[in-house]
Amino acid sequence: GAGVSQSPRYKVAKRGQDVALRCDPISGHVSLFWYQQALGQGPEFLTYFQNEAQLDKSGLPSDRFFAERPEGSVSTLKIQRTQQEDSAVYLCASSRQGGSNQPQHFGDGTRLSIL
Amino acid sequence: AQSVTQLGSHVSVSEGALVLLRCNYSSSVPPYLFWYVQYPNQGLQLLLKYTSAATLVKGINGFEAEFKKSETSFHLTKPSAHMSDAAEYFCAVNRGSRLTFGEGTQLTVNP
């Protein structure tokens, strides 16, 4: 597709439920990133893939958070046993290559609300 | 660790006035810097990037930014604000592939 696509756009879950958020990057983009954006704040890094390899997961806040990109394209961010503090917008970004000078292109995000 | 600081969480200008959004970085080496804009309920759109090729960088929608090493700054400017510029603006530094964002500046444009 023309841009990064994320689904669902909105997700409401009850505390304790598991959720899965999907990201479809720009075709051919090698690098894929997940960020978490709390209300009124800038995005915070969660994890980074280059192709199917997860090169950095240091931003994942707990072991309840898990991300995968098994075929080097679509990625899924899974949150187990959701808590209220998980409520945020989850943004996915992709870039053509890895490297600090590469611009990252963002999707519209998934707004997650935990009741 | 590389980081950015955005001075002013809210900036208000009149339509047609100069827009100036401030960003200072902390880095021991010249960084890769970016400005993004976020409209309500949308993701981040890249405005421009600095990658050491030129100190004055022109971006989309009439925005530009100047990298000043002596001041460790990368301020975003636009000569004449338009109502459609009202949004949240984020400065970011790339640190080993991951982006580290500032707190953001909410720009309001008054008619």
Side-chain angles (χ1 to χ4, degrees):
Chain A
V4 178
S5 178
Q6 293 188 246
S7 61
R9 285 296 316 277
Y10 303 92
K11 176 70 177 176
V12 179
K14 293 182 179 179
R15 189 174 55 183
Q17 289 183 329
D18 299 347
V19 298
L21 312 179
R22 176 190 169 102
C23 173
D24 202 337
I26 294 172
S27 178
H29 277 198
V30 168
S31 299
L32 184 145
F33 307 82
W34 285 98
Y35 293 85
Q36 180 190 61
Q37 187 176 22
L39 189 64
Q41 297 185 19
E44 297 273 349
F45 170 82
L46 292 176
T47 187
Y48 158 52
F49 290 86
Q50 189 160 317
N51 295 306
E52 68 278 3
Q54 190 174 19
L55 299 187
D56 188 347
K57 56 180 181 179
S58 62
L60 296 176
S62 77
D63 59 7
R64 297 186 295 105
F65 287 71
F66 172 77
E68 61 182 3
R69 193 186 185 198
E71 298 179 356
S73 179
V74 170
S75 177
T76 304
L77 177 67
K78 298 179 179 178
I79 308 174
Q80 298 176 324
R81 305 181 303 280
T82 52
Q83 303 293 319
Q84 280 197 315
E85 62 263 29
D86 300 334
S87 295
V89 175
Y90 291 85
L91 295 167
C92 177
S94 69
S95 65
R96 190 178 303 277
Q97 302 170 8
S100 299
N101 64 338
Q102 295 293 311
Q104 296 180 19
H105 303 272
F106 284 79
D108 285 339
T110 294
R111 183 177 297 276
L112 176 64
S113 299
I114 305 300
L115 305 179
Chain B
Q2 295 185 14
S3 66
V4 291
T5 302
Q6 292 184 242
L7 300 176
S9 59
H10 291 85
V11 171
S12 182
V13 301
S14 298
E15 190 175 17
L18 172 71
V19 175
L20 171 61
L21 304 181
R22 300 177 187 272
C23 174
N24 288 86
Y25 67 91
S26 65
S27 175
S28 59
V29 296
Y32 295 112
L33 293 161
F34 302 82
W35 274 100
Y36 283 87
V37 61
Q38 187 174 35
Y39 298 99
N41 297 317
Q42 293 187 23
L44 282 77
Q45 180 181 7
L46 179 68
L47 282 175
L48 49 82
K49 65 175 183 177
Y50 168 75
T51 57
S52 76
T55 57
L56 183 61
V57 182
K58 293 188 182 299
I60 63 171
N61 301 341
F63 284 94
E64 62 182 35
E66 186 172 7
F67 176 78
K68 291 186 176 181
K69 185 177 179 180
S70 61
E71 299 177 7
T72 61
S73 69
F74 190 56
H75 302 331
L76 182 71
T77 60
K78 182 174 180 177
S80 176
H82 192 271
M83 296 296 289
S84 60
D85 294 328
E88 181 118 29
Y89 291 79
F90 292 96
C91 181
V93 62
N94 197 312
R95 180 167 68 93
S97 287
R98 67 165 73 178
L99 286 171
T100 299
F101 289 88
E103 291 294 313
T105 298
Q106 182 69 46
L107 176 65
T108 301
V109 182
N110 302 308

